[in-house]
Amino acid sequence: MQVFEFKRFNARTLALLGLLVTAMVLIAALTFEAMSAERAHQEAVRQAIRDDAAIVADDLLRRTTYEFETLTSGPLRQVIAAYLHDRNALPTRAELAIDDRVANVHFIIDRLFLVNTNNDTVWPPLPAPLQSWALWKLPALVRQRTSADELPTVRVRLDGTEYLVVYGEFEQGRMFAFTVRDSSIGALAARAFARRSAFPGILGGGRLTNADVFIRMSRGGQELFRTPGALNEITGSVMTAPPSYGDGIGGVKVQSSIAPRAIPALIPGGLPRSRIPLLVVMLITSVMVLGAAFLVLRRERQLAHMRSDFVSGVSHELRTPLTQIRMFSETLLLDRVRSVDERQRSLRIISEEAQRLTNLVDNVLFLSRGQAGGTLVFSDCDMETLVADAADAFGPLAMRRDVHIIVETPARLRASVDGEAWKQVLTNMLDNAVKYGPPGQTVHVRLLGYGGLVRLEVEDEGPGVPADEREFVWQRFHRLDRDRGTHKSGSGIGLAIVREIIASHGGRSWVEEGAGGGARFVVEAPMNSGDAPAPSSAARTEVRA
């Protein structure tokens, strides 16, 4: 009996030890999982802060480029050409200093000279390597770059010395040019930085200023411009201006970071604090709490990942239209347009980008409403007019990529639907077709009615959707592998909203291969109103870019 009790006690002890070991293994595994989720969350926040710092740096590069090309080198070339035309001589520094047109920008000129290929002279004389290059290489380079409609700025390295040359042709056989020191580019960057805050006024209630950002610009190890402070190695950004910024700014290295005190204004709650110790205590207290905490943490990680993807995608889609609207509105406010056509172009771009923002906000608001079924308002709608109006409203956005939209609709097709929701469906489908298709493509929009169903098709000339991913593209935040990390990777909610709206109408949606090899996105729902017209009554309209 004693042996039996001992064995039973031993079995209970072993079972308890097994449970404890199992609990400890679960605790260790879940703690590791929680730590990974915490690190991922913190890294996502840090990446968002790095992205904001990169936006500030890129904005300064753009404004410095505008300062150099439009406000400085352009006026200088015009004034120098006028002097040559009127006096047949180059202006002196003293003359430029008192000329109201360039008095505040003439300082960027290092050496001003005139090249005469008629008698093979350069005046005034330059250092030997530069003079030889200016006489024998510059004229041909000017002709080549002028024919290619390139900016009149070139960077050249001669005998270990780098020169930035701005040129302007005066007459046949004669041209003037001047060199610019990189330190002058830094001065222009400082001027552009001081003109306005690096942050939109809506952030932080207008309390954020340029003192909340650190920026250092350099080229080849030479510091051009720097604000007080130091780079935050964890949340800072380092980028190099691409060649598209021109020879004046291209190649400039920019380090940027945002002050810790400004982070809560950009990221609600600021940098997250670790909750691992509290989590471990909770898990050790009870196996049941441990299991519950595990499920909560998994869900939290999923939500954090979804939120990170959503914020990253939406912020990426918001940055471009906001930057365009801000840049062109400032151009209009400062009266920097040179003609009525330029003014109309600026206003048109502002309108187009505002439409893009409206479409994105409509999608976000739809998500915030929760289930769409309780919010739809059904009424008898003229589907031909509804589709034509939606395509026409999207026309300006299609024009940006020279996309041609052809709309084919039957006459007198009516259905009981939520008209605004169907407009959003077509807008999202067109946005998807324009975004992922090539510039200059033709997008076909077809509206059909048959068998008590209304069917809407949007077909593009893009690369199509792989067969194994055609069902996944309708999921929220899903992106094709080929588009990840590219400018085409959007918010990932447009097609998901299409499917939810059509499902709320009792319909279905799918994607198939188009006739020309692109993708054909199709939605279908009950009409609940009237009968479908014969195919011969179809009308065809075009929205031209």
Side-chain angles (χ1 to χ4, degrees):
M1 185 67 179
Q2 291 179 347
V3 173
F4 174 77
E5 290 292 339
F6 174 77
K7 289 183 177 179
R8 185 171 64 176
F9 177 79
N10 190 48
R12 291 177 179 175
T13 302
L14 292 176
L16 180 60
L17 289 175
L19 289 175
L20 290 175
V21 171
T22 302
M24 292 301 296
V25 171
L26 287 174
I27 289 171
L30 294 177
T31 302
F32 178 80
E33 181 73 13
M35 292 175 63
S36 298
E38 193 74 32
R39 285 194 297 267
H41 185 196
Q42 292 180 346
E43 180 57 29
V45 174
R46 294 191 187 100
Q47 185 59 48
I49 299 171
R50 284 193 287 268
D51 289 344
D52 289 334
I55 291 173
V56 171
D58 185 70
D59 181 61
L60 180 58
L61 286 172
R62 292 177 184 275
R63 288 191 282 137
T64 303
T65 302
Y66 183 81
E67 195 84 23
F68 174 69
E69 294 176 356
T70 304
L71 303 183
T72 302
S73 66
L76 280 171
R77 288 187 290 108
Q78 293 176 3
V79 169
I80 294 171
Y83 268 84
L84 284 172
H85 183 271
D86 296 336
R87 307 182 185 183
N88 200 30
L90 293 173
T92 64
R93 289 182 178 273
E95 291 173 330
L96 293 175
I98 62 174
D99 192 313
D100 293 337
R101 294 170 293 179
V102 294
N104 62 338
V105 297
H106 79 284
F107 68 90
I108 75 163
I109 296 179
D110 182 30
R111 290 185 174 93
L112 175 60
F113 56 92
L114 183 66
V115 179
N116 191 334
T117 58
N118 297 320
N119 53 16
D120 295 337
T121 59
V122 177
W123 180 260
L126 304 172
L130 179 59
Q131 178 155 329
S132 176
W133 176 85
L135 185 60
W136 304 112
K137 298 290 183 66
L138 180 59
L141 183 63
V142 169
R143 288 192 294 270
Q144 176 185 347
R145 293 173 66 90
T146 301
S147 63
D149 197 25
E150 296 183 16
L151 292 173
T153 308
V154 61
R155 186 175 290 273
V156 60
R157 178 175 289 275
L158 304 171
D159 287 356
T161 302
E162 194 171 74
Y163 298 92
L164 176 61
V165 181
V166 179
Y167 57 84
E169 190 168 2
F170 171 54
E171 62 181 352
Q172 188 69 26
R174 296 203 307 171
M175 65 189 68
F176 67 88
F178 57 86
T179 59
V180 179
R181 293 183 183 273
D182 282 332
S183 58
S184 299
I185 301 296
L188 294 178
R191 180 180 295 182
F193 185 75
R195 286 189 186 275
R196 62 175 173 82
S197 172
F199 301 95
I202 194 174
L203 293 179
R207 295 187 300 272
L208 299 181
T209 66
N210 285 351
D212 294 312
V213 63
F214 166 80
I215 291 183
R216 180 179 182 269
M217 298 176 63
S218 62
R219 182 192 292 276
Q222 177 189 358
E223 185 172 283
L224 308 181
F225 169 68
R226 182 191 185 107
T227 61
L231 178 70
N232 188 317
E233 298 291 341
I234 298 177
T235 59
S237 170
V238 179
M239 62 181 296
T240 301
S244 60
Y245 283 88
D247 290 317
I249 311 301
V252 171
K253 180 180 179 182
V254 184
Q255 299 172 315
S256 61
S257 60
I258 296 173
R261 62 178 177 271
I263 291 177
L266 302 174
I267 306 294
L271 287 172
R273 295 182 179 181
S274 176
R275 294 169 293 173
I276 300 301
L278 177 61
L279 178 62
V280 171
V281 172
M282 255 193 339
L283 293 175
I284 294 177
T285 302
S286 169
V287 175
M288 294 299 294
V289 175
L290 182 145
F294 174 70
L295 296 177
V296 169
L297 285 173
R298 285 192 61 187
R299 182 57 178 168
E300 181 182 356
R301 185 179 184 183
Q302 292 172 355
L303 292 175
H305 185 68
M306 291 173 62
R307 180 178 60 187
S308 176
D309 280 354
F310 177 72
V311 171
S312 176
V314 171
S315 62
H316 174 75
E317 292 201 18
L318 284 173
R319 286 171 191 153
T320 299
L322 284 175
T323 300
Q324 292 281 74
I325 290 173
R326 186 168 61 182
M327 181 176 67
F328 284 99
S329 62
E330 287 179 357
T331 300
L332 293 172
L333 286 173
L334 298 176
D335 199 23
R336 292 175 177 166
V337 293
R338 292 171 291 185
S339 66
V340 174
D341 289 342
E342 286 191 8
R343 180 178 296 277
Q344 291 300 318
R345 175 177 175 271
S346 298
L347 291 172
R348 184 176 67 254
I349 291 176
I350 291 174
S351 175
E352 293 167 356
E353 299 303 333
Q355 181 63 41
R356 287 180 61 186
L357 287 176
T358 299
N359 294 340
L360 181 59
V361 169
D362 286 343
N363 286 338
V364 174
L365 288 178
F366 180 88
L367 291 180
S368 70
R369 294 186 306 188
Q371 294 298 326
T375 62
L376 298 181
V377 179
F378 290 82
S379 62
D380 187 49
C381 297
D382 182 348
M383 298 301 294
E384 177 188 9
T385 302
L386 187 150
V387 170
D389 289 347
D392 185 63
F394 191 83
L397 299 182
M399 292 175 61
R400 297 297 301 275
R401 301 198 69 195
D402 196 26
V403 173
H404 185 195
I405 300 177
I406 297 179
V407 181
E408 300 176 24
T409 60
R412 299 179 303 279
L413 175 61
R414 307 192 68 85
S416 179
V417 299
D418 185 319
E420 292 303 317
W422 270 76
K423 286 183 179 180
Q424 188 174 5
V425 165
L426 180 54
T427 298
N428 287 357
M429 293 171 71
L430 285 173
D431 181 68
N432 185 78
V434 171
K435 181 184 298 182
Y436 294 98
Q441 68 170 323
T442 297
V443 174
H444 292 270
V445 178
R446 303 182 185 92
L447 179 68
L448 306 171
Y450 63 95
L453 297 174
V454 58
R455 174 176 173 141
L456 181 63
E457 301 177 355
V458 175
E459 182 175 343
D460 60 47
E461 297 178 354
V465 180
D468 57 347
E469 294 199 59
R470 290 177 182 173
E471 185 61 27
F472 297 110
V473 297
W474 302 98
Q475 298 178 359
R476 292 186 182 185
F477 316 122
H478 179 79
R479 299 173 180 84
L480 298 181
D481 291 337
R482 71 183 181 211
D483 298 326
R484 295 185 186 275
T486 68
H487 70 282
K488 295 181 178 180
S489 184
S491 61
I493 61 177
L495 292 179
I497 289 175
V498 169
R499 169 157 285 189
E500 290 187 24
I501 291 176
I502 296 302
S504 299
H505 283 75
R508 62 193 184 104
S509 54
W510 69 93
V511 59
E512 57 193 24
E513 184 176 353
R520 181 188 295 130
F521 288 82
V522 186
V523 298
E524 194 175 76
M527 285 192 293
N528 299 323
S529 175
D531 296 321
S536 61
S537 62
R540 176 187 175 105
T541 59
E542 299 183 5
V543 180
R544 292 188 174 274

